[in-house]
Amino acid sequence: MKLELTIKVDYLPRWGVFEGIRELLQNARDAEVEFAAPLQAMLLVEKDGVGTLVIENEGTTLEHEALLLGHTSKTGRGDCIGKFGEGLKLGVLALVRAGHAVKIRSGDEVWIPAIERSERFKANVLTFDVQKGRANKNRVRVEVANIADADWKEMKKCFLFLGDPGDLVRGKAGALLLDPEKKGRIFVKGIFVANEPKLAYGYDFAEADLDRDRRMVASWELPSLCRQVWQEALAQRPGLVAPFYGLLVEQTPDASGVATWNADKFPAKELALCFAAEHGEGSVPVKDLAESRDLAHLGQVGVVVNEGLGAVLAKVLGTASQIKERLHNEVTATHGWHELDQAESVCLEQTIEIVQQVRKVSLGDIDLVTFRSSALQGMYKDGRILLAKKLLGDRNLPRKVLVH
């Protein structure tokens, strides 16, 4: 029995051998998850380092419906990679078009695909010749001929589920891949998608919006995906705080999704310790040179940081505006009577006598202080009158401030 598929031979012209094998392995992986049918993939080398790639699931078979474009049993399943019902057909098309013989053994049948002229459609299309096999086995076995051993070894690196994925931290959003050789490599559900050299780490996302060729994550989505993976990784492995702090400082794409609205999802206290270790205790994160200057006038070091790092640190240290207000009102010293010279003590006593004529005030109500801000002369705080000691060198100024 020969079945003609309504797929033209030049459909998806950029797909080649890797894309074809990728689709077959994706289907096999989904069968392993969906039907508990263990996946095996091996290259049977025959001659001169070239052989037949065998992809096998023990414990399941394919129905003829699988050849219908759009047919799938994975609708609504978040644990499966495929969902459109086209991977098997398009993967086979890419391989046959590239000159590789393909054979699919399912149950007691053997399916042999080919590209042939269709008189019905007046075009070259993908066909399947369905024949009876030698034995009825509850398995699906796909054989792809003429695959070089060296090529297969490289292709295997693109499928995390075919070997040891290495050091990683996995959460609901995906996995952070920590091995240096995974740097910049993006996977989706265990299948390689693209290289992004600017990334400092590798990622295996649980979900992502891919392009039609399944070779690129949408640029608008990448920062958000990385952010979610890091949120979960930091919660599981606190030792990653210092490396993540470095990503925030360097503004790599890994951390570019951190912003004010999601800053509370990150370990701000631990990141603030990293900031203090780098710049010194008491250093303040600021957004620009103007804020740094304002803090310098208050005796503090203002370090210009990017928006993401600033948003996280503000959760612990406060914003630059909040810090400036606190420092502006900060008292650096409180003075006793013994610290006043004769002129200062006389000035203070006379000031209180004059003010008592309009307001009830006594020496016991006043604290003589030095404010951090040279511009601050006095303030009322927690039921106490704070008066700048430096004003006692002027007979009139303390009276005005005390009355105010």
Side-chain angles (χ1 to χ4, degrees), residues 257-333:
V258 180
T260 303
W261 68 271
N262 57 46
D264 59 344
K265 304 294 184 181
F266 296 92
K269 291 182 180 179
E270 292 79 3
L271 290 166
L273 291 174
C274 294
F275 178 78
E278 181 180 11
H279 298 289
E281 201 69 38
S283 296
V284 177
V286 298
K287 66 180 180 181
D288 54 35
L289 195 58
E291 286 189 341
S292 180
R293 177 202 58 195
D294 292 344
L295 286 168
H297 290 163
L298 294 171
Q300 297 295 107
V301 176
V303 180
V304 179
V305 300
N306 59 69
E307 180 184 356
L309 180 56
V312 175
L313 295 178
K315 296 298 178 181
V316 175
L317 304 178
T319 65
S321 297
Q322 292 168 336
I323 294 169
K324 282 192 292 184
E325 182 179 358
R326 174 172 55 80
L327 291 174
H328 182 77
N329 297 331
E330 186 177 59
V331 172
T332 59

Side-chain angles (χ1 to χ4, degrees), residues 36 102 149 227 271 301 381 384:
V102 178
D149 182 48
R227 172 182 56 79
L271 290 166
V301 176
K381 182 179 181 182
R384 304 289 297 168

Side-chain angles (χ1 to χ4, degrees), residues 135-160:
N136 189 357
K137 296 184 178 181
N138 187 27
R139 71 169 186 194
V140 175
R141 177 184 171 105
V142 182
E143 302 170 2
V144 183
N146 200 33
I147 300 295
D149 182 48
D151 293 340
W152 171 237
K153 286 177 179 177
E154 286 301 309
M155 279 189 271
K156 280 185 69 175
K157 298 176 184 178
C158 296
F159 304 93
L160 296 178

Side-chain angles (χ1 to χ4, degrees), residues 9-212:
V9 67
D10 55 357
Y11 186 58
L12 296 176
R14 290 185 292 180
W15 281 29
V17 176
F18 171 76
E19 287 77 11
I21 291 175
R22 178 193 66 196
E23 297 302 308
L24 297 181
L25 283 169
Q26 170 184 295
N27 266 17
R29 174 62 172 172
D30 283 346
E32 182 176 51
V33 172
E34 189 178 5
F35 304 115
L39 161 65
Q40 283 191 324
M42 68 196 84
L43 183 68
L44 304 178
V45 179
E46 294 149 6
K47 183 180 180 181
D48 298 328
V50 177
T52 298
L53 176 63
V54 176
I55 302 170
E56 185 172 282
N57 288 101
E58 190 74 37
T60 188
T61 58
L62 288 172
E63 300 296 328
H64 291 174
E65 284 180 310
L67 297 179
L68 287 173
L69 198 62
H71 173 76
T72 180
S73 60
K74 307 168 194 174
T75 301
R77 290 191 63 119
D79 54 352
C80 289
I81 306 169
K83 56 183 176 180
F84 298 118
E86 60 183 23
L88 173 67
K89 285 76 74 175
L90 300 184
V92 169
L93 171 64
L95 288 166
V96 174
R97 188 172 58 200
H100 295 268
V102 178
K103 189 177 292 185
I104 300 175
R105 303 181 188 275
S106 174
D108 64 348
E109 294 182 337
V110 179
W111 302 359
I112 302 176
I115 293 174
E116 297 180 344
R117 180 72 178 179
S118 168
E119 293 305 320
R120 179 184 305 170
F121 299 113
K122 307 300 181 184
N124 290 334
V125 299
L126 181 66
T127 66
F128 279 83
D129 186 14
V130 179
Q131 306 173 359
K132 282 294 182 182
R134 293 188 296 271
N136 189 357
K137 296 184 178 181
N138 187 27
R139 71 169 186 194
V140 175
R141 177 184 171 105
V142 182
E143 302 170 2
V144 183
N146 200 33
I147 300 295
D149 182 48
D151 293 340
W152 171 237
K153 286 177 179 177
E154 286 301 309
M155 279 189 271
K156 280 185 69 175
K157 298 176 184 178
C158 296
F159 304 93
L160 296 178
F161 49 80
L162 290 184
D164 181 5
D167 189 14
L168 56 78
V169 185
R170 186 172 293 281
K172 292 182 179 179
L176 177 65
L177 309 178
L178 299 170
D179 289 343
E181 62 269 20
K182 299 289 198 316
K183 177 184 181 299
R185 290 173 67 81
I186 300 175
F187 296 77
V188 176
K189 292 185 176 178
I191 297 180
F192 175 74
V193 172
N195 268 316
E196 178 46 71
K198 294 182 179 179
L199 287 172
Y201 288 84
Y203 297 87
D204 179 23
F205 299 126
E207 294 287 348
D209 185 16
L210 303 180
D211 68 352
R212 183 63 187 83

